[in-house]
Amino acid sequence: MGTEISEPLILDKESIDDGAGIESELVPEWKDQITIRGLVVSALLGTLFCIITHKLNLTVGIIPSLNVGAGLLGFFFVKSWTGFLTKLGFQVSPFTKQENTVIQTCVVACYGLAFSGGFGSYMIAMDERTYKLIGADYPGNRAEDIKNPGLGWMTGFLFVVSFLGLFSLTPLRKVMVLDYKLTYPSGTATAMLINSFHTHSGAELAGKQVKCLGKYLSISFIWSCFKWFFSGIGDSCGFDNFPSFGLMLFRNTFYFDFSPTYVGCGLICPHIVNCSVLLGAIISWGFLWPFISAHAGDWYPSGLESNNFKGLYGYKVFIAIALILGDGLYNLIKIIYISAKEMCNKSTKLSKLPIVNEVIDNESSKVLAEQRKRDDIFLKDRIPTWFAASGYVALAAISTATIPIIFPPLKWYLVLVSYIIAPALAFCNSYGTGLTDWSLSSTYGKIGLFIIASLVGSDGGVMAGLAACGVMMSIVSTAADLMQDFKTGYLTLSSAKSMFVSQLLGTAMGCVIAPLTFWMFWTAFEVGSPDGPYKAPYAVIFREMAILGIEGFSELPKHCLALCFGFFIGAFLVNLLRDVTPKEISQFIPIPMAMAVPFYIGAYFAVDMFVGTVILFIWERINQKDAEDYAGAVASGLICGDGIWTIPSAILSILRINPPICMYFGPSLSS
């Protein structure tokens, strides 16, 4: 889903620095790349990005890449701080691109746990609200399989599972980055940005980008504050429920809800993702759900509550699951096949995969020297294999002993088996991310969920499956993030050791910050309520997957299984079509995973994201260069401003201070 970028862009003479070359560039020691001010900035940005990730996780479940925003904001904060101290007459150490890279790495590691920690998926699927939402009388949904969120156990669980992925693939960094030359598009784009910041012309552009980000952050924050005054009590007031296209379409969730966050996501996500989301909304809420609703009383009992799984709600959840699984399994099989084929081709020197080819033979000796220096710096500060292996074994032993205490149905031997096979899956995910920029950590987690839930059975299988999903997701997700950051570090002349240590520090921050920021949402809002602003759409989906693993399809409403099978096969075929057609055609074929999201939660956010993509499309046609330079800053500003408003909004909610006005829309009354 990332932007396609090739390494020759990074090796271009003008993109490294102002023509001086990197041979003369002084590279600080790895310890000097990690600074106190950098860690403070990382903690602040990690907190902000965790809040943003939680908000997206609990509303739409689509998390755009925030790596570039982390690099940009890190540059802004440290440059502002050093500039302020310099004006006061203090002597400060220079801000290097290596320190900038460390900050970005730390922030990504921190907010990554807000996603892989399952606060919008497997972890919240264990709570009582999700249990009641599915129904106490629903087969396989047992009251014993409940564990409500708690700061203590959530923090402890993250500490025992989140570090293993960092140790699992560290010995393979040379293979992935130097030997296979995997692109890691997001990591490469971030490196390009950081490299450009630390040149004279790049610093000038960075200053303009920061001003642009600050401007739209302020606009977004003020607008979110303004909206609050009209949002009243309940969930039917304010701009969030503005019937932009009329009341009939509003009832089918088609309306623009004036959300800066979703418009920002539309600006930062590729056009095909935004269009796929809108297409999914049109298919589901425009045609499929009205069609199924017309058969109420025949296909399912009429008069059921809106969240009853024996009615329309069941179709929504299980068809969304079918699309997600179809897309995920197809891409998993594809990436394993491509990875195996590529490794085989590499061993016979017959590689034909579309990864970056070396350009050294056709470049000047200066480029060759630059390449060699990158390689030397990347390999200089070695992380011993024995250290990585012993760290993984020790952490796995601690985790194997601890997790059954937190989740008794997940026995120690099941945890041990997970840790034995996890490094192979982490390698597959990291390799696939390097090729496609698409991390399939949630797909690996779902596979672990199904397998463990079916093995444990009805007596605790739901809880065991959800916990196993968390174990698997944490390892494969953090391993892919680390390898992507190794790529960024390689291209910015940062030490591999400083990358590894900053990942450890960022992960430790995330283990504390991610639960704390989630707890703010949990205590201030009705998280998981289908009628509230934070529906947590994937909570129900993940719990239903676990129940499905132990109970089968016996309780689904009429024709639901046939529709699920059709959409599952459809996801496979659409992905196959994307791969076999020429690029000029495949770029217009939708992505099933993106289409699945609005099936369950509604079309309103798809409208917002489409507005964002239309703005970007027009902007690119008017001024391509400006769009490339500033679209990311505008998007980050819109997302961050709305994210910052979440903090005072939560505080007001905790203090039970309600908005003074309810702006409500209804049909006009005839005289």
Side-chain angles (χ1 to χ4, degrees), residues 27-39 93 96 98-99 102 380-381 493-499 501-502 505:
V27 178
E29 290 295 316
W30 75 268
K31 290 181 181 178
D32 298 328
Q33 297 173 20
I34 303 171
T35 62
I36 297 297
R37 69 187 180 193
L39 294 179
S93 56
T96 64
Q98 288 80 13
E99 186 180 354
V102 164
K380 176 187 171 187
D381 297 316
L493 300 180
S494 302
S495 165
K497 191 175 286 186
S498 70
M499 291 291 93
V501 173
S502 61
L505 294 171

Side-chain angles (χ1 to χ4, degrees), residues 503-530:
Q503 271 276 348
L504 288 174
L505 294 171
T507 302
M509 289 179 189
C511 289
V512 176
I513 293 172
L516 282 172
T517 48
F518 170 76
W519 197 250
M520 178 186 71
F521 282 91
W522 181 258
T523 53
F525 307 105
E526 287 291 319
V527 173
S529 169

Side-chain angles (χ1 to χ4, degrees), residues 43 58 92 100 119 176 202 229 248 251 282 301 377 398 409 413 430 443 475 578 603:
L58 297 173
V92 294
N100 203 162
F119 297 100
M176 307 286 263
F229 284 94
M248 189 175 78
R251 283 191 288 270
I282 292 170
I377 290 172
I398 295 170
Y413 49 85
S430 298
T443 300
I475 293 176
R578 283 175 58 84

Side-chain angles (χ1 to χ4, degrees), residues 601-620:
I601 61 173
Y604 58 93
F605 81 95
V607 175
D608 292 359
M609 291 180 69
F610 189 72
V611 168
T613 213
V614 168
I615 292 171
L616 180 61
F617 181 82
I618 295 172
W619 192 358
E620 287 171 338

Side-chain angles (χ1 to χ4, degrees), residues 557-571:
K558 193 175 181 181
H559 301 305
C560 184
L561 183 58
L563 287 168
C564 288
F565 183 75
F567 277 95
F568 181 88
I569 297 299

